[in-house]
Amino acid sequence: MRRHEFQPGRLIAGLVLLLAGVLYLVETTGEADVPWYAVIPMTAGGLTLAALVGLVTYAVRRDRRDRISESNDR
């Protein structure tokens, strides 16, 4: 199997959506009363954090790739 690069933004997005799903599952089973106004901002904030982490990761990898190509050109 071909290896792929680690993408922390996608990891954060997956974990946040998994947590939101678990909270709704807990509410459905009647274990706890989770208000919607707690889950929606948590999900939106988590997806925003994931987007920022993805942008930072992209910028760091692009900068690293540019430095390597500059050193090979000399």
Side-chain angles (χ1 to χ4, degrees):
M1 186 162 110
R2 205 177 103 199
R3 292 187 59 135
H4 61 278
E5 58 188 22
F6 176 64
Q7 296 180 347
R10 288 187 180 189
L11 175 67
I12 292 172
L15 290 175
V16 166
L17 292 175
L18 183 66
L19 178 63
V22 167
L23 287 176
Y24 275 121
L25 181 66
V26 166
E27 182 178 359
T28 303
T29 60
E31 297 291 326
D33 185 27
V34 182
W36 67 269
Y37 53 84
V39 176
I40 300 297
M42 179 201 68
T43 303
L47 291 177
T48 303
L49 176 65
L52 290 173
V53 169
L55 287 172
V56 169
T57 303
Y58 174 75
V60 167
R61 288 184 178 160
R62 187 182 64 188
D63 183 52
R64 185 177 298 156
R65 186 177 59 235
D66 290 345
R67 283 191 209 169
I68 290 172
S69 69
E70 280 181 7
S71 67
N72 289 340
D73 291 340
R74 292 181 184 179

